[in-house]
């Protein structure tokens, strides 16, 4: 059997397996049902940010996104699900391609590249599957962020088109907002200003379809719904599957944070008031945001000293997203995957020159991070305990520590 035939057989088998996977997952009813229900209600003149869907879930996304989805409301739900899953599988492929393009891999051997691909995929698999299973939007948001950044950073920059993609991601869900100050700091003023301008325009664009008054009413309700100072975004434990700093601090520092699914196992170590919790949470958020300067390591308005350094600091900025934003579900931690991939990249590239202590620290902490983030996938029967103690958030925090010691030795950026 020739190598070409083996390749085609492997592609065919993988395509068949993905088709079966899409067919099975398309029979469920995930968050896409909420998006499409909100789209229908929007065109019926209802306030989609006041209503709740399924078991009391709010629609947190933009009116513009609901308008984009309107054509899909005329299709049967399984067809919509299958199309959404197919699109997200394409975005997954593009995300890994973009990461490969953003990292300098020219000096990697074939085996090293294979190890990086397999390790990165195995770490990301849990988050990819959960986004697909719940028909979520995080894969799209990460793709828009990375594709936009790649267009801004490319040898022939396309700041407008990169900004358009990032602004669309922010419009749908605010998470890529952290990229704006990062681009300003690195001197990409045109791209950052484009993002702000396009984003503002996107807020008012729905008025062309639904009218000015309805759009203004929706903007006002949406702003109140997502206000991070709302008590439900500070005491952020109403669902067992929530993670991030706001949820971790709620269960650690409040005796009864409102988690109706909590196990009868003690986890809080203090009992703060809501105001004390809010202050402490925001201080820690500020500390983590300021820690970005540890990764930037250069004067403002200058580009990063090289490709590896640029990906290192970008991966930290993305890692911050599920930690500092409230109301983060487990699938939102897809944003930590570039950081783990960089740590793996650093370990593979430098494993022969690392000190013995750093070598074993990286190996042990990498294994621990993998387990903390993927025990649900490996031993899912005990997931209630993982959720109760918020081990995913601890995994992301430990990944932050590991990433901080993976300081790249640089060659000039191209």
């Amino acid at each position: 059997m020739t190598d070409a035939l083996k390749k085609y057989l492997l592609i065919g088998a993988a395509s068949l397996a993905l088709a079966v996977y899409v067919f099975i997952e398309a029979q469920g009813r995930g968050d896409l049902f909420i998006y499409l229900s909100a789209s229908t209600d929007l065109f019926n003149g209802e306030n989609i940010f006041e209503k709740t869907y399924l078991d009391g879930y709010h629609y947190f996304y933009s009116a513009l996104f609901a308008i984009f989805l309107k054509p899909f409301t005329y299709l049967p739900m399984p067809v919509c699900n299958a199309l959404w899953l197919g699109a997200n599988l394409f975005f997954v492929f593009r995300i890994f391609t973009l990461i490969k393009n953003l990292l300098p891999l020219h000096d990697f051997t074939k085996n090293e590249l294979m190890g990086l691909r397999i390790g990165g995929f195995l770490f990301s698999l849990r988050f990819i599957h959960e986004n697909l299973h719940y028909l979520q939007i995080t894969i799209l948001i990460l793709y828009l962020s990375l594709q936009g950044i790649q267009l801004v950073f490319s040898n022939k920059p396309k700041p407008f088109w990169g900004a358009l993609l990032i602004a669309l991601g922010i419009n749908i869900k605010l998470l890529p907002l952290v990229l704006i100050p990062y681009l300003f700091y690195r001197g990409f003023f045109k791209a950052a200003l484009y993002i702000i301008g396009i984003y503002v325009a996107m807020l008012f664009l729905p008025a062309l379809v639904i009218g000015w008054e309805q759009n203004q009413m929706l903007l006002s309700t949406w702003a109140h719904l997502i206000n991070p100072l709302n008590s439900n975004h500070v005491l952020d434990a109403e669902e067992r599957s929530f993670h991030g700093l706001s949820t971790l601090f709620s269960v650690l520092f409040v005796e009864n944070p409102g988690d109706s699914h909590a196990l009868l196992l003690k986890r809080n170590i203090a009992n703060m008031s809501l105001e004390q919790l809010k202050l402490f949470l925001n201080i820690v958020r500020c500390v983590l945001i300021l820690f970005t300067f540890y990764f930037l390591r250069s004067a403002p308005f200058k580009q990063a000293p090289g490709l590896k350094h640029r990906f290192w600091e970008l991966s930290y900025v993305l890692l911050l997203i599920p930690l500092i934003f409230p109301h983060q579900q487990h699938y939102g931690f897809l944003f930590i995957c570039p950081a783990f991939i960089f740590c793996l990249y650093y370990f593979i590239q430098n494993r022969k020159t690392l000190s013995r202590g750093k070598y074993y620290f990286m190996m042990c902490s990498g294994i621990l991070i993998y387990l903390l983030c993927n025990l649900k996938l490996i031993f899912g029967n005990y997931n209630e305990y993982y959720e109760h103690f918020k081990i995913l958030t601890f995994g992301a925090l430990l990944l932050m520590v590991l990433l901080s010691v993976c300081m790249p030795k640089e060659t000039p950026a191209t």
Side-chain angles (χ1 to χ4, degrees):
M1 187 181 295
T2 64
D3 290 340
L5 182 57
K6 289 179 181 178
K7 179 180 178 181
Y8 288 127
L9 287 174
L10 183 61
I11 292 173
S15 299
L16 180 60
L18 286 175
V20 172
Y21 176 79
V22 167
F23 176 79
I24 293 171
E25 292 292 351
Q27 308 311 308
R29 189 170 70 170
D31 288 359
L32 183 60
F33 177 80
I34 296 176
Y35 310 155
L36 295 178
S37 299
S39 179
T40 299
D41 290 340
L42 177 70
F43 283 87
N44 289 334
E46 298 187 47
N47 189 328
I48 58 176
F49 300 116
E50 284 186 345
K51 288 193 67 172
T52 57
Y53 300 91
L54 291 179
D55 299 321
Y57 293 103
H58 280 282
Y59 175 80
F60 284 100
Y61 311 98
S62 70
L64 184 63
F65 181 55
I67 291 172
F68 286 156
L69 291 177
K70 180 59 178 175
F72 297 97
T73 62
Y74 300 108
L75 299 174
M77 199 67 221
V79 175
C80 290
N81 290 346
L83 292 172
W84 184 259
L85 288 164
N88 275 276
L89 286 171
F90 170 75
F91 295 141
V92 168
F93 171 77
R94 286 295 301 153
I95 286 169
F96 279 97
T97 302
L98 288 164
I99 290 174
K100 182 188 74 172
N101 293 338
L102 288 167
L103 273 173
L105 296 169
H106 55 275
D107 58 346
F108 267 47
T109 66
K110 185 177 180 180
N111 288 337
E112 287 174 337
L113 279 173
M114 185 62 67
L116 181 64
R117 287 172 180 149
I118 293 174
F121 177 74
L122 288 177
F123 180 81
S124 309
L125 183 59
R126 178 233 173 134
F127 305 111
I128 293 170
H129 167 68
E130 288 183 339
N131 274 280
L132 295 172
H133 178 70
Y134 291 100
L135 298 164
Q136 245 290 323
I137 201 167
T138 313
I139 291 172
L140 172 61
I141 303 298
L142 180 57
Y143 163 71
L144 291 172
S145 302
L146 289 176
Q147 183 69 80
I149 283 290
Q150 195 271 338
L151 289 171
V152 172
F153 285 167
S154 63
N155 291 331
K156 296 180 179 179
K158 300 178 178 64
F160 175 81
W161 297 109
L164 178 64
L165 294 180
I166 295 171
L168 179 58
I170 297 171
N171 175 265
I172 296 172
K173 196 170 184 178
L174 288 174
L175 303 182
L177 199 64
V178 296
L179 295 176
I180 297 177
Y182 170 66
L183 289 172
F184 268 121
Y185 190 92
R186 279 303 178 205
F188 294 95
F189 303 116
K190 186 181 290 186
L193 291 171
Y194 275 149
I195 293 171
I196 295 171
I198 295 169
Y199 173 71
V200 172
M202 286 179 172
L203 290 178
F204 298 100
L205 200 57
L208 298 175
V209 178
I210 61 177
W212 179 262
E213 290 186 4
Q214 185 182 358
N215 189 58
Q216 290 298 101
M217 178 265 294
L218 289 173
L219 284 175
S220 176
T221 312
W222 171 76
H224 175 73
L225 180 66
I226 66 167
N227 184 352
L229 299 179
N230 289 344
S231 59
N232 65 312
H233 291 323
V234 177
L235 200 60
D236 194 21
E238 60 191 77
E239 291 185 41
R240 175 189 286 169
S241 56
F242 283 172
H243 296 273
L245 288 180
S246 55
T247 302
L248 179 64
F249 289 175
S250 294
V251 302
L252 285 181
F253 304 126
V254 178
E255 188 172 357
N256 295 302
D259 182 0
S260 59
H261 301 287
L263 303 178
L264 297 176
L265 293 171
K266 184 175 176 60
R267 56 186 175 177
N268 74 294
I269 57 177
N271 190 20
M272 293 182 176
S273 68
L274 184 60
E275 288 304 313
Q276 290 172 328
L277 178 65
K278 183 187 297 184
L279 177 62
F280 181 62
L281 173 61
N282 287 329
I283 289 173
V284 175
R285 281 172 172 162
C286 289
V287 169
L288 294 186
I289 292 169
L290 290 174
F291 192 50
T292 306
F293 290 104
Y294 170 85
F295 293 87
L296 295 172
R297 288 185 169 269
S298 65
F301 317 134
K302 292 183 179 180
Q303 292 196 29
L307 298 176
K308 286 183 282 189
H309 193 287
R310 191 160 65 187
F311 192 87
W312 182 54
E313 63 191 25
L314 176 63
S315 64
Y316 178 75
V317 172
L318 295 174
L319 171 61
L320 281 178
I321 289 175
L323 288 173
I324 65 174
F325 280 87
H327 238 57
Q328 290 301 300
Q329 293 276 6
H330 41 90
Y331 39 71
F333 281 70
L334 180 70
F335 279 95
I336 74 174
C337 294
F340 186 86
I341 290 171
F342 183 85
C343 292
L344 184 59
Y345 167 87
Y346 179 90
F347 181 77
I348 292 173
Q349 187 176 58
N350 299 282
R351 67 191 184 282
K352 295 178 181 178
T353 58
L354 292 174
S355 68
R356 186 173 182 180
K358 189 171 182 179
Y359 180 93
Y360 285 110
F361 169 77
M362 290 196 65
M363 179 176 288
C364 294
S365 58
I367 293 171
L368 181 57
I369 290 165
Y370 178 82
L371 291 174
L372 288 171
C373 294
N374 286 280
L375 274 176
K376 180 181 178 181
L377 190 67
I378 303 169
F379 299 112
N381 289 339
Y382 303 98
N383 186 52
E384 58 184 331
Y385 296 97
Y386 314 148
E387 303 282 26
H388 181 75
F389 291 106
K390 307 302 173 187
I391 67 168
L392 177 55
T393 305
F394 285 111
L397 290 170
L398 182 56
L399 178 57
M400 183 181 299
V401 175
L402 180 60
L403 184 66
S404 69
V405 304
C406 295
M407 192 184 305
K409 296 178 182 178
E410 218 22 289
T411 54
T414 56

